[in-house]
Amino acid sequence: MTPARTTAVPRPAGSADDLLPTLPGSWYTDSRVFAREREHLFEALWICAVRAADLEGPGAFRTVQVGRESVLVVRDRDGGLGAFLNVCRHRGARLCTEESGTVRRTLRCPYHAWSYDLEGRLVAAPHFPRMPEAVRAGRGLVPVRLREWLGYVWLCLADEPPSFEDTVIAAVTERLGDPAAVERWDIERLALGRRVTYDVRANWKLLVENFMECYHCAVIHPELTGLLPEFAEGYAAQYFVGHGAAFARDARGFTVDGGAGFGRLPGLTAEQDRRYYAVTVRPQVFVNLVPDHVIWHRMFPVDADRTVVECDWLYAPEVPASGADLERSADLFHRVNTQDFAACERTQLSMGSRAYRTGGVLVPSEHHIGDFHRWVAARVPAPGDADAGTGPGAS
Ligand code: FES
Ligand code: FE
């Protein structure tokens, strides 16, 4: 079956129209732009926060940064998950400073020992036994909206969250061309084989842009291009609806040397075998789907020039349980990540240069990045001339 294309492959005609403008450099360096992005994107949209299976058993918690807020995700006594702003309702101390842990029964503030149950209710305030019930009831932890999908916990800080179906699920469907396609990987059932956290000295948008294009693939990804020969042509798999890049004829698996990987995941169709699919869920999730595993990236912007990426390699549960050596399998995308993030860091170095004040250009195989720039610019108020220079050149 010939995959449908999102747009016709641009055929460079050698005209000025072949080059489209990018965002200006200030959008990658200016802390005021970054603050607006946090508010209008990361605190307004659904954010993939933690892997649900990381919270094992009642009282297990993880803290995660969503926009400007620290959020606490907690497993309750019934096995459900709740999310709360990580802020004590007495005088505002951060409730949990650890990244993860397990409490026995309550979340206890280390300052004056107000305690909250696993559903966020205030259950004890020392030396104040007669706190009126109405007051106590109104001093519970502030809840955050939560959805579980594909084994991950998604959070939204907005008072009126956008439809999860119309945003997150629609993004995956739009890319894979079929709402059932991603279900065949049964990601919820997979087990964590490897996790690497990358601290990248680059603006989050550079990482998204890099993930969206493959113009760089032949230059910086020798292992990946060897395995997926069509990547050498410079068009990312994401460019086409439903298209997965075919493995090289002599590749036996998605591994660093093309050697055998593991068995095909049971739900996959023959058409999905020996192919690589990539999906971006804006603003912070990148997913790679291959026949025997899934590589799932969650990106957390820390500053205008710094982004933390947590990357999970997920396998059929019996693979890590058997003690199988995952090295050749996981090392392929670890190399790709390292190569990509080095390129992003190299680019970040120039974002403040006068040479990039009005930005750069997108060649035809990168034109879809312009959609991302327009998406950002439509949601993030442009800094006024008075406070941050030029507005987005891509709009
Ligand atoms: Fe938490 Fe006082 S600030 S108990
Ligand atoms: Fe890359």
Side-chain angles (χ1 to χ4, degrees), residues 210 216-217 221 336 340:
N210 171 83
H216 66 269
C217 288
H221 297 318
V336 171
D340 278 333

Side-chain angles (χ1 to χ4, degrees), residues 199-243:
D199 194 341
V200 188
R201 299 287 162 162
N203 182 273
W204 69 276
K205 296 189 294 301
L206 291 179
L207 276 66
V208 175
E209 293 162 15
N210 171 83
F211 195 75
M212 289 176 75
E213 55 95 356
C214 209
Y215 190 36
H216 66 269
C217 288
V219 187
I220 69 171
H221 297 318
E223 301 89 354
L224 187 66
T225 311
L227 200 65
L228 306 170
E230 69 189 76
F231 274 15
E233 293 167 27
Y235 286 92
Q238 296 202 60
Y239 201 84
F240 311 103
V241 174
H243 178 59

Side-chain angles (χ1 to χ4, degrees), residues 12-24:
S15 77
D17 292 344
D18 290 336
L19 300 175
L20 298 179
T22 67
L23 293 169

Side-chain angles (χ1 to χ4, degrees), residues 110-183:
Y111 197 178
H112 312 91
W114 278 31
S115 297
Y116 304 86
D117 69 15
L118 301 181
E119 281 80 27
R121 290 178 288 249
L122 176 62
V123 291
H127 313 304
F128 193 8
R130 288 200 210 96
M131 182 185 281
E133 193 44 45
V135 175
R136 184 190 299 273
R139 291 277 120 189
L141 299 178
V142 176
V144 173
R145 286 194 176 76
L146 176 153
R147 279 282 299 260
E148 277 186 72
W149 190 54
L150 302 181
Y152 282 84
V153 176
W154 304 70
L155 304 174
C156 186
L157 290 176
D159 291 336
E160 290 180 26
S163 154
F164 191 83
E165 286 70 19
D166 294 348
T167 54
V168 175
I169 296 178
V172 177
T173 303
E174 188 187 357
R175 164 69 190 96
L176 297 178
D178 169 7
V182 74
E183 304 291 343

Side-chain angles (χ1 to χ4, degrees), residues 5 24 26-27 33 43 46 96 113 129 141 150 172 188 225 232 237 241 281 287-288 302 312 340 358 364 366 394:
R5 289 171 174 160
S26 62
W27 278 62
V33 173
E43 295 171 20
W46 286 98
C96 296
L141 299 178
L150 302 181
V172 177
E188 212 173 311
T225 311
V241 174
V281 183
V287 185
N288 304 99
V302 177
D312 294 341
D340 278 333
T358 57
E366 300 171 306

Side-chain angles (χ1 to χ4, degrees), residues 5-8 10 20-23 27-28 41 174 204-205 208-209 212-213 238-241 280 282-283 361-380 392-395:
R5 289 171 174 160
T6 49
T7 51
L20 298 179
T22 67
L23 293 169
W27 278 62
Y28 301 85
L41 298 176
E174 188 187 357
W204 69 276
K205 296 189 294 301
V208 175
E209 293 162 15
M212 289 176 75
E213 55 95 356
Q238 296 202 60
Y239 201 84
F240 311 103
V241 174
T280 301
R282 293 183 288 208
V361 290
L362 302 169
V363 301
S365 63
E366 300 171 306
H367 279 188
H368 56 302
I369 293 176
D371 292 340
F372 170 62
H373 290 163
R374 282 185 288 277
W375 180 85
V376 172
R379 284 161 181 77
V380 178
S395 57

